[in-house]
Amino acid sequence: MKKIQLLLLLCLVTGLTFAQGGSKQLQLEEVVGGAFMARNIFGVTPIPEDGEHYSQMNRERTQIIKYSFKTGQQVEVLFDTETARECPFRRIDSYSYSPDGTKLLIATNTKPIYRHSYTAEHYIYSLKRNMDGAINNVVQRLSEGGPQQSPVFSPDGQQVAFVRDNNIYLVKLLYGNSESQVTDDGRRNEIINGIPDWVYEEEFSFDRALEFSADSKMLAYIRFDEREVPAYTFQLFAGEAPTYEEYKAYPGAYTYKYPKTGQKNSKVTVHTFDIKTRVTRQVQVPVDSDGYIPRIRFTKDPDKLAIVTLNRHQNRMDIYMADPRSTLCRLALREESDTYISEDALDAIRFYEENFSLLSERDGYNHLYWYDLSGRLVKQVTSGEFEVKEFLGYDTKEGSFYYTSNEESPLRKAVYKTDKKGKTVKLSANAGTNSALFSTDMKYYLNRYTNLDTPVIITLNDNTGKTLVTLEDNAALREKLSQYALPRREFFTFTTGEGVELNGWIMKPADFDATKRYPVLMYQYSGPESQMVTDSFSVSWETFMASQGYIVACVDPRGTGGRGAAFAKCTYLHLGVKEAHDQVEAALYLGTLPYVDKDRIGIWGWSYGGYMVLMSMSEGTPVFKAGVAVAAVTDWHYYDTAYGERYMLTYGENAEGYDGSSAFTRAANLSGKLLLVHGMADDNVHFQNCAEYAEHLVQLGKQFDMQVYTNRDHGIRGGNTTLHLYTKLTNFFKENL
C-alpha cells in the first residue's frame, strides 16, 4: 500500500531552480493536466556486458537508441519499427536484453493486470552482426499461442521462459523458436505457476517467480495454490472512457483471490525443471505452512538456488541455498526482528560470484551487510545513526559498494561509495534528493537531483562523482514557471505534547501577508516507513490550493521513515493511533501561528492517508473543520494479509489493536465536514471499506458527503476523471474552509 503515495502527489517534477515573482495564476486544469510536466529521461537501460553504453526509447516509442555513458551522445539506433524487417507493430511498450546483450525482447500491445503485472505480445530481435558488420534486422514473434506474461531470457540467451494462462512455457531460439509447455495445472483462481498471486505482487513488489540457472540447464519457479483463498468480487458497468459494451444492459463482475487479514493465503512451493530430461522436482523448502516465499534467485553457481522465506508474522526471514536436483536446502542466513522485517529488504538481496548483500535494521538503522554464500558475515559495510535507502550495486573489480543514504539529513538522500578498505566518499555534489542508476560495470551512473527549490536535474557522472554531462535541465520549463506566482515550500519542526519532534513542510500563498489569518489544508500519507517531507520539488494540487489562498502543510508523524527503526516501528500492533494523534498535534501547533485561522483547518489524504483522515477527525479533539478521505482503508479486517498482518498480526492475536485501529470504533467522535471518495473497481482498497463505513455513519446519524467513481481502481484515473476528482476536492474545501 505505501507505494501508492507515488501516484497521489501528482508530483509534476520539473527542471532547474526558477526565479519566482511572476504574476500568472495557476489553473487547476494546467496542474492536473500535466502542463508543468518536465522533460525527463525515462526507460534508461544499461546495456549488459557493456559498461560504456545505455539505451532508451525515443519519445515516439518507435526506436531503441544506444547512448554513451561518457558523453550522453547517441551512438546508433539499435532498433527501428520503420526499418526492421517483418515488423508487425509500430509502437514499443517496453523491452529487455538477453544477459549477454545480443538480443532484444520487445513488448507491444500491453494490457495491464494489477500494479506490476501485464500481458503483452513479445518479439525477438537479434543484435548480433554478420561478417560484414550488418545486423540481420528481422523481427521474430516469441510465440504464436497468445500474449505472454513475465518472459525471461536464459543466461546464454538461447531460451526464453514465460507464463500464459498461469502455466509456464519454454521457447528454444536455436531450434526455430520451438515452444514446449513446462506446467499444465495452471487454472485461474486456482493454481498459478511462475508469477505471483495478487497479494505477493502488491505487497512484495514483483511480477515474476521464474528463474534460469546460471548454466541455462534448469528452471526454478514458485507455484501458488490459491484454491482455498477467499475470493472478492466487484461489479463492472458499461461506463465511459473506456466503455464496456458487454455490460450495457446488465453489469458484469470481476472475481479474484484476495486474502484478507486472518484468512488463508496461497500455499506456496518451489519447483525445478530440468530442461534436458524434462523432470520436475519439488524443492524441500522448510517454510511454514502459512509462510511466504517472496523471492527465488539462482546464484552464479548453477547448483545453488537461493530461496527467501518469511513466516506469516514477517518477523523472521530465512535465506536457503537449495540444490535444484537433489532438492535439499541448507539454511544460509536467518534474520529476525522484534516487530517485522521491511518488505524493502527483499530487493537489496543481490547475489555475486562468492557473496550476497543484505539490508538490515538489526542495530536500529537500515544498513548494508556483506555475506559469503555459506551465510558467513564478511563485514558490516555501513553503520551510524542514518539509513541506507537503496543498495545500488557492487564493483567486483574494485571491491566497492554503492548506495544511497540519508546520512546528511532524514529529509535528504545522497549517493555514496564505500571501498574495500572501508573508506566512504559522497559522490553526489548537491544537497537534496539524489538517485542513481549505474552502468553494468559500475563505472558510470545517471544521477537525478532535486531539492525544495530545484526541480530535477539529470546528469551523467563517473564513479568518482564527477559530472560528465548534463542531460536535462528543463530550461524552457524554468522560464515558464518564472511567469507564475508560485507558492514556495519551507521546512519546519515542532515538538508535540508528548515530547516528540516531528518534521514538516509548509507552503504559503505567494502574496502571503503575515497580518492576515489563513485557512490551512493539511496533506499527509502517514503509512509505515513512508516519507512525504523530503527535500524535493513538486508542482502539485497542493501548490494550486496554496495559490488559492490556503496555507498548505504536511507533517510526517510517528511510524514514518527516515529516522530509524524505533521511530518507524513504534506504531506496531496499533496502526493509525499515534499517527492520528500526531496529525491532531500538528493541527493544534499550526493553529498557534499568528497567521493561521485555527477554526478553519482541513485535512486530506489518499489510501493510508485517507484512513488517517478518518482516524484524525475522530481522534476526540475537534480541530479539523473539514476532511477528504480518498480510497481509504476503514478497518484492517478488510485489508490483505501480507500488509495488514505485517503491522497488526491477526485479530485473534491482537484484538485490542484491531479495535483501536478501526475507523468504526471511533466514528461516533467524528467531527467536521467529511467527503468520502472511492473507486468502485478498486482491487487494492476495496470499495467495501467505503460502503460499510458510510453505512455506519448513517446509522450513527452522522452527515457526510460521498463521491463514487464507476469502474475506477485505486488510482481513480481515466478520461476526465482526474480533473473531476480534483475539482470536487477544490470545491469541497472552498465551501467548508
PDB file of all heavy atoms in Angstrom, residues 230-251:
ATOM      1  N   PRO A 230     -10.043 -17.048  -0.024  1.00  0.00           N
ATOM      2  CA  PRO A 230     -11.366 -16.471  -0.314  1.00  0.00           C
ATOM      3  C   PRO A 230     -11.303 -15.507  -1.495  1.00  0.00           C
ATOM      4  O   PRO A 230     -10.295 -14.827  -1.711  1.00  0.00           O
ATOM      5  CB  PRO A 230     -11.730 -15.746   0.981  1.00  0.00           C
ATOM      6  CG  PRO A 230     -10.920 -16.423   2.044  1.00  0.00           C
ATOM      7  CD  PRO A 230      -9.632 -16.798   1.372  1.00  0.00           C
ATOM      8  N   ALA A 231     -12.387 -15.448  -2.250  1.00  0.00           N
ATOM      9  CA  ALA A 231     -12.467 -14.589  -3.428  1.00  0.00           C
ATOM     10  C   ALA A 231     -13.205 -13.294  -3.104  1.00  0.00           C
ATOM     11  O   ALA A 231     -14.066 -13.248  -2.231  1.00  0.00           O
ATOM     12  CB  ALA A 231     -13.171 -15.318  -4.572  1.00  0.00           C
ATOM     13  N   TYR A 232     -12.849 -12.249  -3.825  1.00  0.00           N
ATOM     14  CA  TYR A 232     -13.541 -10.969  -3.738  1.00  0.00           C
ATOM     15  C   TYR A 232     -14.086 -10.630  -5.121  1.00  0.00           C
ATOM     16  O   TYR A 232     -13.413 -10.852  -6.137  1.00  0.00           O
ATOM     17  CB  TYR A 232     -12.606  -9.861  -3.255  1.00  0.00           C
ATOM     18  CG  TYR A 232     -13.306  -8.540  -3.031  1.00  0.00           C
ATOM     19  CD1 TYR A 232     -13.954  -8.275  -1.835  1.00  0.00           C
ATOM     20  CD2 TYR A 232     -13.336  -7.567  -4.020  1.00  0.00           C
ATOM     21  CE1 TYR A 232     -14.614  -7.073  -1.625  1.00  0.00           C
ATOM     22  CE2 TYR A 232     -13.992  -6.361  -3.819  1.00  0.00           C
ATOM     23  CZ  TYR A 232     -14.631  -6.124  -2.616  1.00  0.00           C
ATOM     24  OH  TYR A 232     -15.293  -4.926  -2.418  1.00  0.00           O
ATOM     25  N   THR A 233     -15.298 -10.091  -5.180  1.00  0.00           N
ATOM     26  CA  THR A 233     -15.942  -9.745  -6.444  1.00  0.00           C
ATOM     27  C   THR A 233     -16.400  -8.297  -6.416  1.00  0.00           C
ATOM     28  O   THR A 233     -16.976  -7.847  -5.425  1.00  0.00           O
ATOM     29  CB  THR A 233     -17.166 -10.656  -6.703  1.00  0.00           C
ATOM     30  OG1 THR A 233     -16.738 -12.018  -6.770  1.00  0.00           O
ATOM     31  CG2 THR A 233     -17.852 -10.286  -8.006  1.00  0.00           C
ATOM     32  N   PHE A 234     -16.100  -7.558  -7.477  1.00  0.00           N
ATOM     33  CA  PHE A 234     -16.687  -6.225  -7.604  1.00  0.00           C
ATOM     34  C   PHE A 234     -17.372  -6.099  -8.960  1.00  0.00           C
ATOM     35  O   PHE A 234     -17.021  -6.775  -9.926  1.00  0.00           O
ATOM     36  CB  PHE A 234     -15.668  -5.101  -7.391  1.00  0.00           C
ATOM     37  CG  PHE A 234     -14.425  -5.166  -8.238  1.00  0.00           C
ATOM     38  CD1 PHE A 234     -14.434  -4.743  -9.558  1.00  0.00           C
ATOM     39  CD2 PHE A 234     -13.225  -5.616  -7.696  1.00  0.00           C
ATOM     40  CE1 PHE A 234     -13.287  -4.776 -10.328  1.00  0.00           C
ATOM     41  CE2 PHE A 234     -12.069  -5.657  -8.457  1.00  0.00           C
ATOM     42  CZ  PHE A 234     -12.098  -5.232  -9.784  1.00  0.00           C
ATOM     43  N   GLN A 235     -18.384  -5.236  -9.005  1.00  0.00           N
ATOM     44  CA  GLN A 235     -19.163  -5.045 -10.221  1.00  0.00           C
ATOM     45  C   GLN A 235     -18.434  -4.156 -11.214  1.00  0.00           C
ATOM     46  O   GLN A 235     -17.674  -3.267 -10.846  1.00  0.00           O
ATOM     47  CB  GLN A 235     -20.523  -4.430  -9.902  1.00  0.00           C
ATOM     48  CG  GLN A 235     -21.571  -5.416  -9.418  1.00  0.00           C
ATOM     49  CD  GLN A 235     -22.951  -4.774  -9.343  1.00  0.00           C
ATOM     50  OE1 GLN A 235     -23.128  -3.782  -8.655  1.00  0.00           O
ATOM     51  NE2 GLN A 235     -23.922  -5.354 -10.036  1.00  0.00           N
ATOM     52  N   LEU A 236     -18.696  -4.409 -12.485  1.00  0.00           N
ATOM     53  CA  LEU A 236     -18.232  -3.553 -13.573  1.00  0.00           C
ATOM     54  C   LEU A 236     -19.448  -3.110 -14.377  1.00  0.00           C
ATOM     55  O   LEU A 236     -20.363  -3.904 -14.629  1.00  0.00           O
ATOM     56  CB  LEU A 236     -17.250  -4.310 -14.473  1.00  0.00           C
ATOM     57  CG  LEU A 236     -15.901  -4.654 -13.851  1.00  0.00           C
ATOM     58  CD1 LEU A 236     -15.128  -5.595 -14.757  1.00  0.00           C
ATOM     59  CD2 LEU A 236     -15.082  -3.395 -13.583  1.00  0.00           C
ATOM     60  N   PHE A 237     -19.436  -1.840 -14.778  1.00  0.00           N
ATOM     61  CA  PHE A 237     -20.545  -1.275 -15.518  1.00  0.00           C
ATOM     62  C   PHE A 237     -20.078  -0.877 -16.918  1.00  0.00           C
ATOM     63  O   PHE A 237     -18.882  -0.889 -17.215  1.00  0.00           O
ATOM     64  CB  PHE A 237     -21.105  -0.068 -14.770  1.00  0.00           C
ATOM     65  CG  PHE A 237     -21.626  -0.409 -13.401  1.00  0.00           C
ATOM     66  CD1 PHE A 237     -20.776  -0.418 -12.289  1.00  0.00           C
ATOM     67  CD2 PHE A 237     -22.957  -0.748 -13.211  1.00  0.00           C
ATOM     68  CE1 PHE A 237     -21.243  -0.751 -11.030  1.00  0.00           C
ATOM     69  CE2 PHE A 237     -23.441  -1.078 -11.956  1.00  0.00           C
ATOM     70  CZ  PHE A 237     -22.577  -1.091 -10.863  1.00  0.00           C
ATOM     71  N   ALA A 238     -21.022  -0.520 -17.771  1.00  0.00           N
ATOM     72  CA  ALA A 238     -20.653  -0.114 -19.130  1.00  0.00           C
ATOM     73  C   ALA A 238     -19.704   1.077 -19.080  1.00  0.00           C
ATOM     74  O   ALA A 238     -18.645   1.069 -19.708  1.00  0.00           O
ATOM     75  CB  ALA A 238     -21.906   0.232 -19.938  1.00  0.00           C
ATOM     76  N   GLY A 239     -20.063   2.099 -18.321  1.00  0.00           N
ATOM     77  CA  GLY A 239     -19.174   3.229 -18.086  1.00  0.00           C
ATOM     78  C   GLY A 239     -18.791   3.976 -19.353  1.00  0.00           C
ATOM     79  O   GLY A 239     -19.313   3.749 -20.440  1.00  0.00           O
ATOM     80  N   GLU A 240     -17.822   4.870 -19.167  1.00  0.00           N
ATOM     81  CA  GLU A 240     -17.246   5.629 -20.276  1.00  0.00           C
ATOM     82  C   GLU A 240     -15.756   5.768 -20.027  1.00  0.00           C
ATOM     83  O   GLU A 240     -15.288   5.767 -18.898  1.00  0.00           O
ATOM     84  CB  GLU A 240     -17.889   7.015 -20.383  1.00  0.00           C
ATOM     85  CG  GLU A 240     -19.381   6.994 -20.670  1.00  0.00           C
ATOM     86  CD  GLU A 240     -19.956   8.395 -20.764  1.00  0.00           C
ATOM     87  OE1 GLU A 240     -19.267   9.296 -21.283  1.00  0.00           O
ATOM     88  OE2 GLU A 240     -21.087   8.595 -20.295  1.00  0.00           O
ATOM     89  N   ALA A 241     -15.002   5.916 -21.100  1.00  0.00           N
ATOM     90  CA  ALA A 241     -13.553   6.176 -21.037  1.00  0.00           C
ATOM     91  C   ALA A 241     -12.799   5.166 -20.178  1.00  0.00           C
ATOM     92  O   ALA A 241     -12.163   5.559 -19.203  1.00  0.00           O
ATOM     93  CB  ALA A 241     -13.295   7.600 -20.514  1.00  0.00           C
ATOM     94  N   PRO A 242     -12.843   3.869 -20.504  1.00  0.00           N
ATOM     95  CA  PRO A 242     -13.474   3.255 -21.688  1.00  0.00           C
ATOM     96  C   PRO A 242     -14.904   2.786 -21.391  1.00  0.00           C
ATOM     97  O   PRO A 242     -15.334   2.752 -20.244  1.00  0.00           O
ATOM     98  CB  PRO A 242     -12.574   2.058 -21.948  1.00  0.00           C
ATOM     99  CG  PRO A 242     -12.172   1.626 -20.574  1.00  0.00           C
ATOM    100  CD  PRO A 242     -12.006   2.894 -19.773  1.00  0.00           C
ATOM    101  N   THR A 243     -15.580   2.391 -22.462  1.00  0.00           N
ATOM    102  CA  THR A 243     -16.916   1.823 -22.352  1.00  0.00           C
ATOM    103  C   THR A 243     -16.855   0.317 -22.591  1.00  0.00           C
ATOM    104  O   THR A 243     -16.201  -0.133 -23.532  1.00  0.00           O
ATOM    105  CB  THR A 243     -17.865   2.460 -23.388  1.00  0.00           C
ATOM    106  OG1 THR A 243     -17.978   3.850 -23.113  1.00  0.00           O
ATOM    107  CG2 THR A 243     -19.245   1.807 -23.321  1.00  0.00           C
ATOM    108  N   TYR A 244     -17.508  -0.437 -21.709  1.00  0.00           N
ATOM    109  CA  TYR A 244     -17.586  -1.890 -21.866  1.00  0.00           C
ATOM    110  C   TYR A 244     -18.969  -2.225 -22.429  1.00  0.00           C
ATOM    111  O   TYR A 244     -19.959  -2.274 -21.693  1.00  0.00           O
ATOM    112  CB  TYR A 244     -17.358  -2.588 -20.526  1.00  0.00           C
ATOM    113  CG  TYR A 244     -16.015  -2.278 -19.905  1.00  0.00           C
ATOM    114  CD1 TYR A 244     -15.903  -1.377 -18.851  1.00  0.00           C
ATOM    115  CD2 TYR A 244     -14.856  -2.883 -20.384  1.00  0.00           C
ATOM    116  CE1 TYR A 244     -14.673  -1.082 -18.286  1.00  0.00           C
ATOM    117  CE2 TYR A 244     -13.610  -2.602 -19.824  1.00  0.00           C
ATOM    118  CZ  TYR A 244     -13.532  -1.704 -18.778  1.00  0.00           C
ATOM    119  OH  TYR A 244     -12.318  -1.418 -18.221  1.00  0.00           O
ATOM    120  N   GLU A 245     -19.024  -2.434 -23.740  1.00  0.00           N
ATOM    121  CA  GLU A 245     -20.296  -2.646 -24.421  1.00  0.00           C
ATOM    122  C   GLU A 245     -21.043  -3.862 -23.882  1.00  0.00           C
ATOM    123  O   GLU A 245     -22.275  -3.891 -23.859  1.00  0.00           O
ATOM    124  CB  GLU A 245     -20.060  -2.803 -25.927  1.00  0.00           C
ATOM    125  CG  GLU A 245     -19.530  -1.550 -26.620  1.00  0.00           C
ATOM    126  CD  GLU A 245     -20.550  -0.429 -26.637  1.00  0.00           C
ATOM    127  OE1 GLU A 245     -21.756  -0.707 -26.524  1.00  0.00           O
ATOM    128  OE2 GLU A 245     -20.132   0.751 -26.761  1.00  0.00           O
ATOM    129  N   GLU A 246     -20.289  -4.880 -23.427  1.00  0.00           N
ATOM    130  CA  GLU A 246     -20.928  -6.108 -22.971  1.00  0.00           C
ATOM    131  C   GLU A 246     -21.743  -5.912 -21.690  1.00  0.00           C
ATOM    132  O   GLU A 246     -22.533  -6.781 -21.306  1.00  0.00           O
ATOM    133  CB  GLU A 246     -19.880  -7.207 -22.757  1.00  0.00           C
ATOM    134  CG  GLU A 246     -18.855  -6.929 -21.674  1.00  0.00           C
ATOM    135  CD  GLU A 246     -17.612  -6.212 -22.169  1.00  0.00           C
ATOM    136  OE1 GLU A 246     -17.742  -5.379 -23.116  1.00  0.00           O
ATOM    137  OE2 GLU A 246     -16.526  -6.458 -21.630  1.00  0.00           O
ATOM    138  N   TYR A 247     -21.545  -4.767 -21.017  1.00  0.00           N
ATOM    139  CA  TYR A 247     -22.271  -4.514 -19.765  1.00  0.00           C
ATOM    140  C   TYR A 247     -23.351  -3.437 -19.924  1.00  0.00           C
ATOM    141  O   TYR A 247     -23.786  -2.842 -18.943  1.00  0.00           O
ATOM    142  CB  TYR A 247     -21.294  -4.102 -18.665  1.00  0.00           C
ATOM    143  CG  TYR A 247     -20.181  -5.097 -18.419  1.00  0.00           C
ATOM    144  CD1 TYR A 247     -18.888  -4.662 -18.150  1.00  0.00           C
ATOM    145  CD2 TYR A 247     -20.416  -6.464 -18.473  1.00  0.00           C
ATOM    146  CE1 TYR A 247     -17.856  -5.566 -17.937  1.00  0.00           C
ATOM    147  CE2 TYR A 247     -19.389  -7.382 -18.271  1.00  0.00           C
ATOM    148  CZ  TYR A 247     -18.112  -6.922 -17.999  1.00  0.00           C
ATOM    149  OH  TYR A 247     -17.092  -7.823 -17.795  1.00  0.00           O
ATOM    150  N   LYS A 248     -23.774  -3.185 -21.157  1.00  0.00           N
ATOM    151  CA  LYS A 248     -24.765  -2.131 -21.406  1.00  0.00           C
ATOM    152  C   LYS A 248     -26.086  -2.412 -20.691  1.00  0.00           C
ATOM    153  O   LYS A 248     -26.689  -1.520 -20.098  1.00  0.00           O
ATOM    154  CB  LYS A 248     -25.013  -1.995 -22.910  1.00  0.00           C
ATOM    155  CG  LYS A 248     -23.959  -1.211 -23.666  1.00  0.00           C
ATOM    156  CD  LYS A 248     -24.085   0.285 -23.429  1.00  0.00           C
ATOM    157  CE  LYS A 248     -23.163   1.064 -24.349  1.00  0.00           C
ATOM    158  NZ  LYS A 248     -23.252   2.512 -24.122  1.00  0.00           N
ATOM    159  N   ALA A 249     -26.553  -3.652 -20.754  1.00  0.00           N
ATOM    160  CA  ALA A 249     -27.852  -3.992 -20.168  1.00  0.00           C
ATOM    161  C   ALA A 249     -27.730  -4.452 -18.723  1.00  0.00           C
ATOM    162  O   ALA A 249     -28.485  -4.022 -17.853  1.00  0.00           O
ATOM    163  CB  ALA A 249     -28.542  -5.064 -21.010  1.00  0.00           C
ATOM    164  N   TYR A 250     -26.756  -5.318 -18.468  1.00  0.00           N
ATOM    165  CA  TYR A 250     -26.558  -5.854 -17.127  1.00  0.00           C
ATOM    166  C   TYR A 250     -25.091  -5.688 -16.726  1.00  0.00           C
ATOM    167  O   TYR A 250     -24.195  -5.942 -17.529  1.00  0.00           O
ATOM    168  CB  TYR A 250     -26.931  -7.340 -17.068  1.00  0.00           C
ATOM    169  CG  TYR A 250     -28.398  -7.620 -17.288  1.00  0.00           C
ATOM    170  CD1 TYR A 250     -28.894  -7.882 -18.567  1.00  0.00           C
ATOM    171  CD2 TYR A 250     -29.293  -7.605 -16.218  1.00  0.00           C
ATOM    172  CE1 TYR A 250     -30.238  -8.127 -18.776  1.00  0.00           C
ATOM    173  CE2 TYR A 250     -30.642  -7.849 -16.418  1.00  0.00           C
ATOM    174  CZ  TYR A 250     -31.111  -8.112 -17.695  1.00  0.00           C
ATOM    175  OH  TYR A 250     -32.442  -8.351 -17.891  1.00  0.00           O
ATOM    176  N   PRO A 251     -24.839  -5.289 -15.482  1.00  0.00           N
ATOM    177  CA  PRO A 251     -23.452  -5.165 -15.032  1.00  0.00           C
ATOM    178  C   PRO A 251     -22.731  -6.508 -15.073  1.00  0.00           C
ATOM    179  O   PRO A 251     -23.347  -7.572 -14.950  1.00  0.00           O
ATOM    180  CB  PRO A 251     -23.582  -4.656 -13.588  1.00  0.00           C
ATOM    181  CG  PRO A 251     -24.958  -4.097 -13.500  1.00  0.00           C
ATOM    182  CD  PRO A 251     -25.797  -4.895 -14.443  1.00  0.00           C
TER     183      PRO A 251
END
